[in-house]
Amino acid sequence: CSSDLENAALAALAQTLAQVSDAESTAEVVCSETARLLDVNTVVLGQRDGQIVIVGAYPPRSALGPIDIAAADWAFDHGEPTGRDTGTLNASDWQYHPLKTSLGILAVLGIARDSGKTAVPSDRAVLLATIIGQAALAHERIWLENDMRELSVLNERDRLRATLLSSIGHDLRTP
């Protein structure tokens, strides 16, 4: 049964995403598995210093056109799908889906077909929605882990500072 195969593939995707530890690796897994499951080209875009950048792609690609960048940017800003086969910026060759999390939109997944056909047929929409959900959770986990690492470093710095000040204070009080 094809739904059993899809469920197994989604379980494998979730397991693989749980094993990666940075945004680039997460994006590459999302891209390669989405491409395999839906037979599409994929790209994951993030924002760096207010600019849209490609974090991962399958097959690897170097650039997107200005219309595609505008569509991806709109998906980031508005949190809604945009591009091909949507009601917004549909002149784009790609269809973009924001990866929504409790932290906001952390990335955008873009999908396209070389043939120019519909990016995702209606009978595959549930599969795409599940992939988007898994991708969003993975990006959120990476984001939170990075925040925890930064917090741990700050706590260690504060602890060292307190120890140093205590030591200096003790030395100044000792005749």
Short mmCIF file of all heavy atoms in Angstrom, two decimals, residues 1-35:
data_model
loop_
_atom_site.label_atom_id
_atom_site.label_comp_id
_atom_site.label_asym_id
_atom_site.label_seq_id
_atom_site.Cartn_x
_atom_site.Cartn_y
_atom_site.Cartn_z
N CYS A 1 0.85 -1.18 0.00
CA CYS A 1 0.00 0.00 0.00
C CYS A 1 0.89 1.25 0.00
O CYS A 1 1.85 1.34 0.77
CB CYS A 1 -0.90 -0.03 1.23
SG CYS A 1 -2.04 1.33 1.33
N SER A 2 0.58 2.21 -0.85
CA SER A 2 1.44 3.39 -0.98
C SER A 2 1.43 4.25 0.28
O SER A 2 2.42 4.87 0.61
CB SER A 2 1.03 4.23 -2.20
OG SER A 2 -0.25 4.80 -2.00
N SER A 3 0.30 4.28 1.01
CA SER A 3 0.28 5.08 2.23
C SER A 3 1.19 4.48 3.30
O SER A 3 1.78 5.21 4.09
CB SER A 3 -1.15 5.24 2.77
OG SER A 3 -1.65 4.00 3.19
N ASP A 4 1.33 3.15 3.32
CA ASP A 4 2.26 2.52 4.25
C ASP A 4 3.70 2.91 3.91
O ASP A 4 4.50 3.18 4.81
CB ASP A 4 2.13 0.99 4.21
CG ASP A 4 0.84 0.49 4.85
OD1 ASP A 4 0.21 1.28 5.61
OD2 ASP A 4 0.46 -0.65 4.58
N LEU A 5 4.01 2.96 2.61
CA LEU A 5 5.35 3.38 2.19
C LEU A 5 5.60 4.84 2.55
O LEU A 5 6.70 5.20 3.00
CB LEU A 5 5.52 3.17 0.68
CG LEU A 5 5.53 1.71 0.20
CD1 LEU A 5 5.58 1.65 -1.32
CD2 LEU A 5 6.72 0.98 0.81
N GLU A 6 4.59 5.69 2.35
CA GLU A 6 4.73 7.10 2.70
C GLU A 6 4.93 7.26 4.21
O GLU A 6 5.77 8.05 4.64
CB GLU A 6 3.50 7.90 2.25
CG GLU A 6 3.47 8.16 0.77
CD GLU A 6 2.23 8.93 0.34
OE1 GLU A 6 1.41 9.33 1.20
OE2 GLU A 6 2.08 9.13 -0.87
N ASN A 7 4.16 6.51 5.00
CA ASN A 7 4.31 6.59 6.46
C ASN A 7 5.70 6.16 6.90
O ASN A 7 6.31 6.78 7.77
CB ASN A 7 3.24 5.75 7.16
CG ASN A 7 1.85 6.36 7.04
OD1 ASN A 7 1.71 7.55 6.80
ND2 ASN A 7 0.84 5.54 7.20
N ALA A 8 6.20 5.10 6.30
CA ALA A 8 7.55 4.64 6.62
C ALA A 8 8.58 5.68 6.22
O ALA A 8 9.54 5.94 6.96
CB ALA A 8 7.82 3.31 5.92
N ALA A 9 8.39 6.30 5.05
CA ALA A 9 9.31 7.33 4.58
C ALA A 9 9.28 8.55 5.50
O ALA A 9 10.33 9.14 5.81
CB ALA A 9 8.98 7.74 3.16
N LEU A 10 8.09 8.93 5.97
CA LEU A 10 7.97 10.07 6.89
C LEU A 10 8.62 9.76 8.24
O LEU A 10 9.25 10.62 8.84
CB LEU A 10 6.51 10.46 7.07
CG LEU A 10 5.87 11.13 5.84
CD1 LEU A 10 4.37 11.25 6.02
CD2 LEU A 10 6.51 12.49 5.59
N ALA A 11 8.45 8.53 8.71
CA ALA A 11 9.10 8.13 9.96
C ALA A 11 10.62 8.17 9.81
O ALA A 11 11.33 8.64 10.71
CB ALA A 11 8.63 6.73 10.37
N ALA A 12 11.12 7.72 8.68
CA ALA A 12 12.56 7.76 8.41
C ALA A 12 13.04 9.21 8.32
O ALA A 12 14.13 9.53 8.83
CB ALA A 12 12.89 7.00 7.13
N LEU A 13 12.24 10.07 7.71
CA LEU A 13 12.59 11.50 7.62
C LEU A 13 12.70 12.10 9.02
O LEU A 13 13.68 12.78 9.33
CB LEU A 13 11.54 12.26 6.80
CG LEU A 13 11.65 13.78 6.81
CD1 LEU A 13 12.97 14.24 6.20
CD2 LEU A 13 10.48 14.41 6.07
N ALA A 14 11.71 11.83 9.87
CA ALA A 14 11.73 12.36 11.23
C ALA A 14 12.97 11.87 11.99
O ALA A 14 13.62 12.64 12.71
CB ALA A 14 10.46 11.96 11.97
N GLN A 15 13.30 10.61 11.82
CA GLN A 15 14.46 10.04 12.50
C GLN A 15 15.76 10.67 12.00
O GLN A 15 16.64 11.02 12.78
CB GLN A 15 14.49 8.53 12.29
CG GLN A 15 15.54 7.82 13.10
CD GLN A 15 15.44 6.31 12.97
OE1 GLN A 15 14.85 5.79 12.03
NE2 GLN A 15 16.02 5.60 13.92
N THR A 16 15.86 10.86 10.70
CA THR A 16 17.06 11.48 10.12
C THR A 16 17.19 12.92 10.58
O THR A 16 18.28 13.38 10.94
CB THR A 16 17.03 11.41 8.58
OG1 THR A 16 16.89 10.04 8.19
CG2 THR A 16 18.28 11.99 7.96
N LEU A 17 16.07 13.65 10.60
CA LEU A 17 16.12 15.05 11.04
C LEU A 17 16.52 15.17 12.50
O LEU A 17 17.17 16.14 12.90
CB LEU A 17 14.76 15.73 10.80
CG LEU A 17 14.44 16.07 9.35
CD1 LEU A 17 13.00 16.54 9.21
CD2 LEU A 17 15.41 17.10 8.80
N ALA A 18 16.15 14.19 13.31
CA ALA A 18 16.51 14.21 14.73
C ALA A 18 18.01 14.03 14.94
O ALA A 18 18.54 14.41 15.99
CB ALA A 18 15.75 13.13 15.48
N GLN A 19 18.70 13.49 13.95
CA GLN A 19 20.13 13.21 14.08
C GLN A 19 21.03 14.35 13.61
O GLN A 19 22.21 14.35 13.91
CB GLN A 19 20.47 11.93 13.31
CG GLN A 19 19.80 10.71 13.87
CD GLN A 19 19.97 9.48 12.99
OE1 GLN A 19 20.52 9.55 11.90
NE2 GLN A 19 19.47 8.35 13.47
N VAL A 20 20.50 15.31 12.87
CA VAL A 20 21.34 16.40 12.38
C VAL A 20 21.38 17.52 13.40
O VAL A 20 20.45 17.68 14.20
CB VAL A 20 20.88 16.92 10.99
CG1 VAL A 20 21.07 15.87 9.93
CG2 VAL A 20 19.44 17.38 11.02
N SER A 21 22.48 18.29 13.39
CA SER A 21 22.67 19.24 14.47
C SER A 21 22.92 20.68 14.03
O SER A 21 23.34 21.50 14.83
CB SER A 21 23.83 18.77 15.35
OG SER A 21 25.01 18.69 14.58
N ASP A 22 22.69 20.99 12.76
CA ASP A 22 22.84 22.38 12.33
C ASP A 22 21.84 22.67 11.20
O ASP A 22 21.29 21.77 10.59
CB ASP A 22 24.28 22.68 11.90
CG ASP A 22 24.71 21.83 10.70
OD1 ASP A 22 24.29 22.13 9.57
OD2 ASP A 22 25.47 20.86 10.92
N ALA A 23 21.62 23.96 10.96
CA ALA A 23 20.61 24.40 10.00
C ALA A 23 20.92 23.92 8.58
O ALA A 23 20.01 23.53 7.84
CB ALA A 23 20.46 25.92 10.03
N GLU A 24 22.18 23.94 8.20
CA GLU A 24 22.54 23.54 6.84
C GLU A 24 22.27 22.05 6.61
O GLU A 24 21.72 21.66 5.58
CB GLU A 24 24.01 23.87 6.54
CG GLU A 24 24.28 25.36 6.40
CD GLU A 24 24.31 26.12 7.73
OE1 GLU A 24 24.48 25.47 8.80
OE2 GLU A 24 24.13 27.35 7.71
N SER A 25 22.66 21.21 7.57
CA SER A 25 22.41 19.77 7.44
C SER A 25 20.91 19.49 7.45
O SER A 25 20.43 18.65 6.68
CB SER A 25 23.07 19.01 8.58
OG SER A 25 24.46 19.20 8.56
N THR A 26 20.17 20.20 8.29
CA THR A 26 18.72 20.04 8.34
C THR A 26 18.11 20.39 6.99
O THR A 26 17.28 19.66 6.45
CB THR A 26 18.12 20.92 9.45
OG1 THR A 26 18.67 20.51 10.70
CG2 THR A 26 16.61 20.80 9.50
N ALA A 27 18.55 21.52 6.43
CA ALA A 27 18.03 21.94 5.12
C ALA A 27 18.36 20.93 4.03
O ALA A 27 17.51 20.62 3.18
CB ALA A 27 18.59 23.32 4.76
N GLU A 28 19.57 20.38 4.06
CA GLU A 28 19.96 19.40 3.04
C GLU A 28 19.10 18.13 3.15
O GLU A 28 18.68 17.58 2.13
CB GLU A 28 21.44 19.05 3.16
CG GLU A 28 22.38 20.17 2.75
CD GLU A 28 22.23 20.59 1.30
OE1 GLU A 28 21.84 19.76 0.44
OE2 GLU A 28 22.50 21.78 1.01
N VAL A 29 18.84 17.67 4.37
CA VAL A 29 17.99 16.48 4.56
C VAL A 29 16.58 16.77 4.07
O VAL A 29 15.98 15.97 3.35
CB VAL A 29 17.98 16.02 6.04
CG1 VAL A 29 16.90 14.99 6.29
CG2 VAL A 29 19.35 15.48 6.43
N VAL A 30 16.04 17.92 4.46
CA VAL A 30 14.68 18.29 4.03
C VAL A 30 14.61 18.33 2.51
O VAL A 30 13.67 17.79 1.91
CB VAL A 30 14.26 19.65 4.64
CG1 VAL A 30 13.01 20.20 3.98
CG2 VAL A 30 14.04 19.51 6.14
N CYS A 31 15.61 18.95 1.88
CA CYS A 31 15.61 19.06 0.42
C CYS A 31 15.70 17.70 -0.26
O CYS A 31 14.91 17.40 -1.15
CB CYS A 31 16.75 19.96 -0.04
SG CYS A 31 16.47 21.70 0.31
N SER A 32 16.66 16.89 0.16
CA SER A 32 16.85 15.61 -0.53
C SER A 32 15.66 14.69 -0.33
O SER A 32 15.22 14.02 -1.27
CB SER A 32 18.16 14.95 -0.09
OG SER A 32 18.12 14.63 1.28
N GLU A 33 15.11 14.64 0.88
CA GLU A 33 13.98 13.74 1.14
C GLU A 33 12.69 14.23 0.49
O GLU A 33 11.91 13.44 -0.01
CB GLU A 33 13.80 13.54 2.65
CG GLU A 33 14.90 12.71 3.27
CD GLU A 33 15.01 11.33 2.62
OE1 GLU A 33 14.03 10.57 2.63
OE2 GLU A 33 16.10 11.02 2.10
N THR A 34 12.47 15.54 0.49
CA THR A 34 11.29 16.09 -0.19
C THR A 34 11.38 15.82 -1.69
O THR A 34 10.40 15.43 -2.32
CB THR A 34 11.16 17.60 0.07
OG1 THR A 34 11.10 17.83 1.48
CG2 THR A 34 9.91 18.17 -0.58
N ALA A 35 12.57 16.00 -2.24
CA ALA A 35 12.77 15.73 -3.67
C ALA A 35 12.48 14.26 -3.98
O ALA A 35 11.82 13.95 -4.97
CB ALA A 35 14.20 16.09 -4.07
#
